[in-house]
Amino acid sequence: QVQLQESGPGLVKPSETLSLTCTVSGGSIRSYYWSWIRQPPGKGLEWVGYIFYRGSTKYNPSLKSRVTISIDTSQNQFSLKVSSVTAADTAVYYCARGRDVPDYWGQGTLVTVSS
Amino acid sequence: EIVLTQSPGTLSLSPGERATLSCRASQSVSSSYLAWYQQKPGQAPRLLIYGASSRATGIPDRFNGGGSGTDFTLTISRLEPEDFAVYYCQQYGSSPWTFGQGTKVEIK
């Protein structure tokens, strides 16, 4: 059974960079697309972007200039960086397997942007 | 960007009743690339339906999706206690992928 686990700081200061890692276990990170989706507290879901195991990426244009997704196949991990964060970036961040309709999701991690 | 509008916002029903949820797109969703997810408090979304009408692995057959173009529906034929949750539709036919705002199915 594939499992995903997000990790990273739960508190980030405004204007700094949010960094999260997703560790995949129970299966290989190869041959799949991997996504990040976020959900502000009490609100709906927002697609952030995805990466193919070979490294190609696609991002939501609303975030594109601030987002970077990378992958480390040797560690079975992929990562998310969001630069110049504001309070609007406060959300539960989910990592997931799949490009269009993710079928396996991590439990999510809350990242709060506050000074 | 395609905007998805879900209705109603909240559906109050009793176990055993039928639930019908609507998802309307601001423009046609190509190739019926429309999915439905279920989310319970404190949990990640769970994929129910993709391709407008195909059930994901392990999803009970009381969950049925339908529709095309701009109008889609999720029907839960007979509500079980574990079905009370928030449901989201998502389109993946046009980038950026977008989600509806959700419909909460609550116990009446």
Side-chain angles (χ1 to χ4, degrees):
Chain A
Q1 178 81 343
V2 175
Q3 292 186 311
L4 295 88
Q5 179 67 57
E6 305 88 351
S7 59
L11 181 64
V12 181
K13 289 182 168 55
S15 80
E16 296 190 343
T17 296
L18 176 162
S19 296
L20 295 174
T21 295
C22 182
T23 301
V24 179
S25 60
S28 175
I29 204 168
R30 296 178 182 273
S31 302
Y32 288 98
Y33 285 87
W34 303 89
S35 294
W36 288 97
I37 299 104
R38 70 181 186 178
Q39 184 172 34
K43 296 188 178 181
L45 299 159
E46 180 180 34
W47 171 67
V48 175
Y50 62 71
I51 188 166
F52 190 42
Y53 80 101
R54 290 182 175 173
S56 57
T57 56
K58 192 170 184 106
Y59 303 129
N60 190 324
S62 69
L63 298 163
K64 188 174 182 179
S65 62
R66 300 192 295 126
V67 169
T68 303
I69 300 176
S70 58
I71 195 162
D72 184 344
T73 54
S74 67
Q75 297 293 318
N76 244 32
Q77 295 178 331
F78 62 107
S79 299
L80 170 71
K81 292 187 187 297
V82 182
S83 63
S84 306
V85 296
T86 69
D89 294 307
T90 293
V92 174
Y93 285 77
Y94 295 101
C95 61
R97 187 183 80 170
R99 178 187 65 184
D100 308 324
V101 280
D103 53 359
Y104 288 96
W105 295 60
Q107 64 185 23
T109 187
L110 174 63
V111 179
T112 302
V113 178
S114 176
S115 55
Chain B
E1 154 172 334
I2 294 179
V3 176
L4 299 178
T5 302
Q6 293 187 241
S7 61
T10 301
L11 201 50
S12 298
L13 296 168
S14 300
E17 289 193 296
R18 180 185 186 90
T20 302
L21 288 65
S22 174
C23 177
R24 177 162 289 178
S26 60
Q27 54 189 282
S28 184
V29 177
S30 63
S31 304
S32 294
Y33 287 149
L34 193 287
W36 291 92
Y37 298 84
Q38 175 194 71
Q39 187 177 35
K40 297 179 181 179
Q43 295 185 17
R46 173 194 181 196
L47 177 64
L48 299 175
I49 301 286
Y50 63 93
S53 60
S54 298
R55 277 187 292 275
T57 303
I59 302 303
D61 59 8
R62 64 179 181 272
F63 291 92
N64 290 284
S68 63
T70 60
D71 290 294
F72 298 87
T73 58
L74 173 69
T75 302
I76 311 171
S77 57
R78 291 182 57 191
L79 283 164
E80 297 288 342
E82 62 268 27
D83 299 336
F84 292 91
V86 178
Y87 293 83
Y88 293 96
C89 58
Q90 177 221 345
Q91 68 81 23
Y92 53 100
S94 174
S95 181
W97 313 156
T98 51
F99 293 86
Q101 83 281 15
T103 290
K104 182 179 182 180
V105 179
E106 65 175 23
I107 299 176
K108 186 174 182 180

